[in-house]
Amino acid sequence: MRDQEPSAPTRDTGRRLNTKETAELLGVKPETVYAYVSRGQLASRRDPGGRGSTFDAQEVEALARRNRRDGAGSSSTGGELSVRTRITLIDADHYYFRGVDATELAARYSYEEIAEWLWTEQLRRGVTFTAPEASVAVARRAVESLPEHSGPTDRLRVAAIAAAAADPLRFDLSEEAVLGTARTLIPTLVAALPPKRHDHRDEGPLAQRLWARLSGRTPDDPSLRVLDTALGLLVDHDLAASTLAVRVAASARAHAYAAVSAGLGVLEGPLHGAASGLAHRLLLEVLDRGTAVPVIADELRAGRRVPGLGHRLYQGEDPRARALFALLEDVPQAAPPLAAARDIATTAARHTPLHANVDLALAVLTVASGMQSSAGETVFAVARTAGWIAHTLEEYGERPLRMRPSGHYVGARPPQPLPGE
């Protein structure tokens, strides 16, 4: 049985519309009209004199006004899905967390502090996240059972599932319970990853603990600052593909661990969280060959998109990349990959007006720190978990199962014969 809000009682004005008229007034396809009915947003009545349904004109007009006001309606030509949110705004090559410039937040506050701000709109100075030993033990055992070649997202996804299995109260979707889950899940994910250094200690800021899972080198303060800032910058970025998956899961009232798992499943794609790994390998090739020209030429000749360049939401340089490049200037070992990144952007600009994005900046950090090419994917996933929790909380406050788009069937029309006949 589907969960849905009961239809509000409507006043029958005597004027009723058929399905076609209703669809035209709402600016949607006829099948979407029935999706509104199934979600409890519109009441229908069978027409005694015909075979179709009719709809109260006043109720239809009210729904049309509401869709226009909220920006949540889809056009008959197939407009993009729009979801109301108070978390992140992207506007004119800047982005904001709850109205505050995100790059300024990341420059002044730690990842944990920014996460708390995103979740509660309150700033808790000096907050650090700690994981229960029992949860970490279960997650580590699960991760250790994976094949050696498993990628970082494989490990994080398994760790999240294991942590969920260890939490019998995970189905409590109250805000207090979900916040408690968030504050322990993120450090559990980090602690479950195999360390690169034997002298690591699971204490202090999350960036420091994560560093030990990404690099065998002892970090200096400027490098840790870049990593912590990267985590803060990547906390959220509006409705990216993984975040949409999280909201769909939360709309179905999946618990927080399951919502995060949904996000991790989407993140692994090369067009999303794994994109920094492609930029990492590109940087290494440029450093090996001494110039970006032949490397970019090879990419263009093969018809491939140059990794680390361009973003569909920004006309100019990605503000996250700009912030990280500025901090990387203070990291001595970052000088060669930073110069290579600029060479890539300058060389590519001769052919296409694309600017550096955050994947290229993450690649500079990972190359400079002796990390594997998959390290940027790990940073992205850990950082974005906080944003996914924020969207999960927001979606729990909305009507259940509201994200149920209608399919536009284009297959063979029935009736068709049984297969094999």
Side-chain angles (χ1 to χ4, degrees), residues 268-282:
E268 199 170 15
L271 300 181
H272 196 10
S276 63
L278 301 177
H280 177 108
R281 289 187 282 273
L282 185 75

Side-chain angles (χ1 to χ4, degrees), residues 69-294:
R69 183 180 67 245
D70 296 341
S74 59
S75 69
S76 57
T77 56
E80 293 186 352
L81 177 67
S82 176
V83 177
R84 291 173 298 178
T85 178
R86 296 180 178 85
I87 299 172
T88 300
L89 169 68
I90 299 176
D91 183 53
D93 285 352
H94 290 79
Y95 74 119
Y96 307 86
F97 294 154
R98 299 198 182 278
V100 180
D101 189 294
T103 57
E104 293 183 13
L105 274 172
R108 290 169 172 78
Y109 302 111
S110 72
Y111 167 69
E112 292 98 318
E113 291 167 342
I114 294 172
E116 285 286 343
W117 164 254
L118 213 62
W119 297 337
T120 67
E121 295 188 73
Q122 296 179 0
L123 190 64
R124 297 176 59 199
R125 297 305 302 265
V127 63
T128 57
F129 299 153
T130 56
E133 291 184 7
S135 177
V136 171
V138 170
R140 279 179 176 166
R141 285 198 299 271
V143 169
E144 288 168 0
S145 69
L146 292 173
E148 189 175 342
H149 64 266
S150 300
T153 307
D154 294 325
R155 295 188 171 101
L156 291 171
R157 195 161 55 236
V158 166
I161 294 169
D167 182 2
L169 304 180
R170 61 188 179 276
F171 296 101
D172 184 349
L173 305 187
S174 67
E175 181 176 349
E176 182 179 359
V178 173
L179 287 174
T181 295
R183 293 173 183 133
T184 58
L185 175 58
I186 294 174
T188 296
L189 295 178
V190 173
L193 295 172
K196 300 291 185 182
R197 296 168 49 213
H198 297 296
D199 61 342
H200 77 282
R201 293 192 298 176
D202 284 328
E203 57 186 35
L206 193 83
Q208 184 173 309
R209 285 174 271 163
L210 181 58
W211 180 281
R213 268 78 186 174
L214 301 176
S215 175
R217 300 178 185 175
T218 301
D220 51 34
D221 289 341
S223 297
L224 276 179
R225 186 185 176 200
V226 176
L227 178 57
D228 188 50
T229 302
L231 289 168
L233 290 168
L234 290 167
V235 162
D236 191 54
H237 206 235
D238 194 35
L239 285 183
S242 57
T243 304
L244 180 58
V246 167
R247 293 200 73 131
V248 170
S251 177
R253 296 305 182 254
H255 55 71
Y257 299 96
V260 168
S261 296
L264 287 168
V266 176
L267 190 74
E268 199 170 15
L271 300 181
H272 196 10
S276 63
L278 301 177
H280 177 108
R281 289 187 282 273
L282 185 75
L283 268 182
L284 289 179
E285 188 174 357
V286 172
L287 289 169
D288 183 57
R289 299 176 72 168
T291 174
V293 173

